Amino acid sequence: MKTLIPSIILVTSFHTLAQVYTPPATPQPDPNAIPTDNSPTPAKQPPASVLGQEIPLLDPSAETITVGGIAIPIGDNRLLKARFEKYLNQAPENDDLAREYRANIDNILATISPFRSGGPNLQEAFKLLPIASTYPGDANLCSSLAESIYMALLSKTDVTQLNALNKTIEEEKQQLIQKNDWIGRTEKDPTLGETGGPGQGGNGKGKGNRPATDPGRGVASLRYAEGLRRIAEIEALKKANIARTEAQTLRTKAQYQVNMIQWFMQRRYEHVLMASRFYNQIWKDGDAALRVDKNSDVSKLFSESIGISPTVSSLDSLSNEAIREVTKYVEAFDLLLSRDELHSASQRLMEAYAIGEYLSPVTTLSLEKKLRIATYVRELHELYGTLQARDYTRGKELLASIKKSARDFPSSKIDSAIAAYTLASDLKIEEAKAHLLARNSDKASEQIQAAAELWPTNPKLEEFRNLISNTSVIVTARNDFDRLLSEGNYREIAKRHYEFAQAIDGDATRLDAFKQIMENLREIEAAIEGAKKFSDLEQNYNAWEQLSEIRERFKDDPKLGRELELLAPKVADFTLALDKARQYESRTPKQTGSALSWYLKARSIYPESKQAEKGIQILIDEILIAEK
């Protein structure tokens, strides 16, 4: 089939520098013609696959799962699909350890629940965390939760001690205030009892009753000033302790919340519920806002979905909603599977797995049910692969098997696609046969190539291959002609002219190129033969000049170039004189005298030289015109 595909089918793509063959000139547009819009219509880009990626592959088009109005990222779809296939082939977690672990989780949630009789018991629930962390499927997350709770309690103890310290120094401050007030009220000036005029000091004779104002006494004493300094110091220390308390509380909450957010993103919803309920028992100040960056993905997860800032309560609510959704998905899966609706059942199971991979309704699903889905998913992926590879023979077999096992499989698009592409391929093959019988191998090769692209495994391609076995020699010869023409290897075309004349019969464009090549090569051969006769008679200058003249017309002929190279040593003095004359003639400004002298020297070497005579005549005419 490869012999039917010509390497070059347009003459305009042949070697543009060739002189033995000159390609036809491209028609120039009429300058007086009315302008028209001849811009090419934009070609439609083919779809990425046969069906435009419309076949459901059990992986969502967006990498999120929406739960309660919140879009939860599920990560790379390819990774999720690989993990889902692994899950389908895993045994359910129904052993004694798994049941004990789930019982411990339920017990922890019940112990710390606000609806527990007698109220939540933080200590009892905390003791169960290390036991739950021993289960391998927990991945030590309960241990991490216990560590976070322990650090929060330590921080809370430190805060209590800071509050006690503030209370102590506040008592000291109050004592200092009372003491200073007493000094200011009771400590009198030593000159009391003396009299003096109004507005006079102790030298007056009148009596006064005012506080002491002398240094070392009353409000002017160092003792009073030291009391004020200590009061200010205590107040600053109190504010620093309060700031430290608040900062430590915020830091501890933020560290605790990091784990909650991480578990939520990992779909460990039960751990989020436990952490949320422990949080409410550790901090009872009503502050439940999550300390996350406003530009972070977690903040956008809430703000862009429901327009509110995330809180511990919102994580708790979303986790409960996710658990409920998973339960509903698994119930729907069981119902669909019982009806042999594997297509919808597989989608519900993947949705349940994507939301709650670690929840008990998913992990305890029986292996028998999962293997039915695994078989269906494997065949579905293989069907999609065959359609991408355009192997419709295998695609029909897989489609029949899938429709037999999955009653609800939407096969109409695939049936239509297979029918359309197989029919189109068959029609292309029929057109190729018609062109081949009409000896139009170019169009035949185009049609058969299009048929192979539509359906590479079409059985009729083998029939066409047998049909062209008798015409392969002609097609090969035509392809060789195109290749040699594009390479400029005209001597090889002339060498195989009997073969090519038959192969291109009826092709006007190729025949025109063939005739032009043969005529020009005959002219070149005639010039070479004439030059050889002169060379045999020791008339090397005449032989060289004849070949040089025809060389100006056919610069690309290798044989003509070799003949000139063989004559070059014998006529070196003559060619040197001509080259010198032309160099002086082409300089700027032109050195007419030097050029004329070298042309005269060339003529003296070979008096019958047409090139020397022509150069001399041109220079003499220029000199005469300049004198006038």
Side-chain angles (χ1 to χ4, degrees):
M1 184 170 65
K2 292 182 180 179
T3 57
L4 288 177
I5 303 175
S7 59
I8 301 293
I9 63 173
L10 296 177
V11 176
T12 54
S13 63
F14 295 146
H15 199 283
T16 56
L17 298 178
Q19 297 298 320
V20 174
Y21 164 64
T22 304
T26 304
Q28 297 296 324
D30 185 0
N32 298 322
I34 299 175
T36 58
D37 184 7
N38 57 0
S39 58
T41 303
K44 289 186 177 180
Q45 295 296 328
S49 71
V50 176
L51 299 180
Q53 304 291 355
E54 293 168 339
I55 301 177
L57 273 182
L58 301 183
D59 52 335
S61 58
E63 298 180 358
T64 58
I65 289 291
T66 301
V67 178
I70 299 296
I72 302 173
I74 59 176
D76 190 352
N77 284 334
R78 292 173 297 177
L79 178 61
L80 176 63
K81 186 171 66 174
R83 294 182 63 177
F84 181 64
E85 292 178 356
K86 180 187 72 172
Y87 159 74
L88 293 176
N89 293 277
Q90 285 180 336
E93 298 180 5
N94 278 332
D95 56 2
D96 294 338
L97 288 176
R99 286 193 291 271
E100 182 182 356
Y101 170 73
R102 287 192 292 271
N104 284 329
I105 295 297
D106 292 340
N107 195 8
I108 292 171
L109 290 172
T111 304
I112 202 70
S113 171
F115 302 106
R116 176 178 177 270
S117 178
N121 192 329
L122 187 148
Q123 292 183 351
E124 290 297 325
F126 181 81
K127 292 178 182 179
L128 294 174
L129 289 175
I131 300 175
S133 66
T134 59
Y135 180 64
D138 182 76
N140 284 324
L141 295 183
C142 284
S143 179
S144 299
L145 176 58
E147 183 69 20
S148 298
I149 295 171
Y150 178 71
M151 295 302 297
L153 292 175
L154 287 181
S155 173
K156 193 172 181 181
T157 302
D158 192 15
V159 169
T160 302
Q161 293 175 353
L162 286 174
N163 290 333
L165 178 60
N166 279 350
K167 184 177 180 181
T168 302
I169 61 178
E170 176 65 20
E171 293 176 355
E172 180 185 355
K173 186 183 80 169
Q174 294 300 326
Q175 292 175 2
L176 288 173
I177 291 174
Q178 294 176 4
K179 184 177 181 180
N180 278 11
D181 285 346
W182 183 86
I183 292 173
R185 288 194 308 268
T186 60
E187 200 166 90
K188 305 300 181 181
D189 194 290
T191 59
L192 289 177
E194 298 180 1
T195 60
Q200 293 180 352
N203 296 325
K205 295 182 180 181
K207 295 183 179 181
N209 189 13
R210 56 187 179 278
T213 57
D214 292 340
R217 299 283 184 176
V219 295
S221 66
L222 294 177
R223 184 175 53 178
Y224 185 86
E226 178 64 18
L228 293 180
R229 185 197 65 77
R230 178 57 180 166
I231 291 172
E233 183 181 77
I234 289 174
E235 191 64 27
L237 183 59
K238 276 183 59 180
K239 292 181 179 180
N241 287 339
I242 292 172
R244 180 183 173 188
T245 301
E246 293 176 352
Q248 186 165 348
T249 301
L250 293 177
R251 182 169 59 252
T252 306
K253 286 183 178 180
Q255 292 173 352
Y256 190 95
Q257 291 169 2
V258 165
N259 287 330
M260 292 185 64
I261 295 171
Q262 180 180 349
W263 295 331
F264 181 78
M265 303 305 291
Q266 292 174 347
R267 295 167 291 160
R268 295 279 189 170
Y269 303 115
E270 291 174 331
H271 293 79
V272 175
L273 293 178
M274 290 188 292
S276 173
R277 295 180 184 180
F278 277 113
Y279 183 96
N280 294 329
Q281 293 303 313
I282 296 172
W283 292 285
K284 300 180 180 181
D285 53 3
D287 179 18
L290 295 180
R291 270 72 181 180
V292 294
D293 190 344
K294 293 182 180 179
N295 297 323
S296 66
D297 293 337
V298 176
S299 179
K300 293 178 182 178
L301 190 69
F302 291 86
S303 60
E304 294 181 1
S305 300
I306 55 180
I308 62 172
S309 299
T311 63
V312 173
S313 298
S314 61
L315 287 181
D316 186 290
S317 175
L318 286 173
S319 298
N320 279 313
E321 179 68 16
I323 294 173
R324 189 190 70 85
E325 286 294 318
V326 169
T327 302
K328 294 298 182 182
Y329 277 130
V330 174
E331 290 176 357
F333 162 77
D334 286 330
L335 179 61
L336 292 168
L337 192 65
S338 65
R339 298 176 179 174
D340 291 332
E341 298 179 6
L342 297 184
H343 180 72
S344 298
S346 62
Q347 290 183 325
R348 299 296 81 76
L349 183 58
M350 168 159 261
E351 290 162 355
Y353 178 81
I355 298 175
E357 176 182 355
Y358 307 103
L359 297 178
S360 58
V362 176
T363 58
T364 59
L365 198 63
S366 69
L367 182 60
E368 180 184 359
K369 294 179 179 179
K370 292 193 292 186
L371 287 180
R372 290 185 62 187
I373 300 300
T375 302
Y376 168 76
V377 170
R378 191 180 304 112
E379 289 184 347
L380 186 61
H381 290 172
E382 186 178 356
L383 173 62
Y384 186 69
T386 58
L387 293 178
Q388 286 183 321
R390 302 187 179 183
D391 184 3
Y392 301 119
T393 304
R394 175 60 178 163
K396 290 179 181 179
E397 298 174 359
L398 288 171
L399 183 59
S401 175
I402 290 175
K403 288 195 292 186
K404 184 178 179 181
S405 60
R407 294 171 50 190
D408 62 331
F409 180 71
S411 61
S412 58
K413 291 183 179 180
I414 302 178
D415 285 328
S416 300
I418 292 177
Y421 285 108
T422 53
L423 177 61
S425 178
D426 291 342
L427 292 177
K428 292 291 183 182
I429 292 176
E430 294 302 322
E431 291 183 22
K433 290 180 181 179
H435 288 305
L436 189 64
L437 294 176
R439 303 189 66 179
N440 192 340
S441 60
D442 289 342
K443 291 185 177 180
S445 65
E446 292 176 3
Q447 296 300 325
I448 203 65
Q449 183 177 5
E453 290 176 354
L454 289 170
W455 186 9
T457 58
N458 191 342
K460 293 185 179 180
L461 291 174
E462 183 64 28
E463 299 177 8
F464 187 82
R465 184 180 292 108
N466 296 331
L467 178 64
I468 65 173
S469 60
N470 296 328
T471 59
S472 59
V473 176
I474 295 176
V475 174
T476 302
R478 186 172 292 186
N479 291 341
D480 288 346
F481 177 82
D482 292 340
R483 176 178 56 80
L484 294 173
L485 191 60
S486 65
E487 295 173 354
N489 194 349
Y490 309 118
R491 289 283 174 179
E492 184 65 20
I493 292 176
K495 184 179 179 181
R496 299 169 57 184
H497 65 281
Y498 290 112
E499 176 185 356
F500 291 143
Q502 183 181 1
I504 64 176
D505 185 26
D507 190 327
T509 304
R510 288 187 175 91
L511 279 175
D512 180 68
F514 181 73
K515 290 178 181 179
Q516 187 180 150
I517 291 170
M518 297 304 297
E519 291 174 0
N520 289 338
L521 287 178
R522 278 195 292 268
E523 183 178 354
I524 293 172
E525 289 296 333
I528 292 175
E529 289 298 324
K532 285 183 177 179
K533 292 179 181 179
F534 285 114
S535 181
D536 293 340
L537 298 174
E538 299 297 329
Q539 298 182 18
N540 295 320
Y541 297 111
N542 192 355
W544 182 90
E545 193 165 70
Q546 286 194 14
L547 293 181
S548 177
E549 290 177 358
I550 198 169
R551 178 67 170 177
E552 292 296 326
R553 295 172 53 199
F554 307 110
K555 296 181 179 181
D556 59 335
D557 187 64
K559 186 175 181 180
L560 183 59
R562 286 195 299 271
E563 293 295 332
L564 284 170
E565 290 176 359
L566 292 174
L567 286 173
K570 301 176 183 179
V571 296
D573 54 347
F574 175 66
T575 57
L576 177 63
L578 286 178
D579 288 341
K580 287 287 187 180
R582 288 165 181 163
Q583 289 176 12
Y584 285 117
E585 187 178 8
S586 61
R587 287 183 179 179
T588 304
K590 182 185 296 186
Q591 298 184 11
T592 305
S594 299
L596 182 60
S597 63
W598 280 104
Y599 275 128
L600 291 172
K601 183 176 181 179
R603 190 174 66 177
S604 66
I605 297 173
Y606 176 41
E608 298 179 4
S609 172
K610 295 180 181 180
Q611 295 185 22
E613 184 64 29
K614 181 179 178 181
I616 292 170
Q617 191 60 44
I618 291 174
L619 293 176
I620 289 176
D621 291 343
E622 290 179 356
I623 293 171
L624 293 176
I625 292 173
E627 289 180 353
K628 291 180 181 181

